[in-house]
Amino acid sequence: MAYLLLACAIVSEVVATSLLPRTAGFTVLLPSLAVLAGYALSFVLLAQVVKTVPVGVAYAIWSATGTAAVAAIGAVFLGQSLTGWQVGGLALVVGGVVLLQLGGSAH
């Protein structure tokens, strides 16, 4: 159940981040409210996740997956380019999260 909540937290954060350009620096009301609500929901869900998943693991998954998803959304939907170096960097970040998860619990 914790990983389902984590997935929802990631989706909420990715949607909020993807809407950031529409806020025009938080001067457009509806997108600004959607961004704030998305981030709030994401943190509430993440707070529930860390009750059972180690915070380092949960945060690493949340941040790496969100970063990769936002980069992909930027490239596919917002016309932003990704260089080979950037794709390699994203792969390293995701690989680091996998290694962190494979390392298991420290207790």
Side-chain angles (χ1 to χ4, degrees):
M1 181 63 162
Y3 286 98
L4 177 60
L5 289 177
L6 182 57
C8 292
I10 292 165
V11 168
S12 180
E13 184 268 333
V14 167
V15 169
T17 301
S18 298
L19 288 173
L20 269 175
R22 304 251 182 199
T23 69
F26 287 101
T27 61
V28 181
L29 183 61
L30 290 180
S32 297
L33 292 175
V35 166
L36 293 173
Y39 285 140
L41 176 60
S42 183
F43 280 106
V44 166
L45 293 171
L46 188 59
Q48 296 304 308
V49 170
V50 298
K51 288 180 178 178
T52 57
V53 177
V55 69
V57 171
Y59 186 74
I61 293 169
W62 180 79
S63 61
T65 305
T67 299
V70 169
I73 288 168
V76 173
F77 297 108
L78 303 176
Q80 300 168 353
S81 63
L82 281 177
T83 67
W85 287 107
Q86 291 169 321
V87 171
L90 287 169
L92 288 171
V93 168
V94 172
V97 170
V98 169
L99 290 174
L100 185 64
Q101 181 69 17
L102 289 175
S105 179
H107 353 200

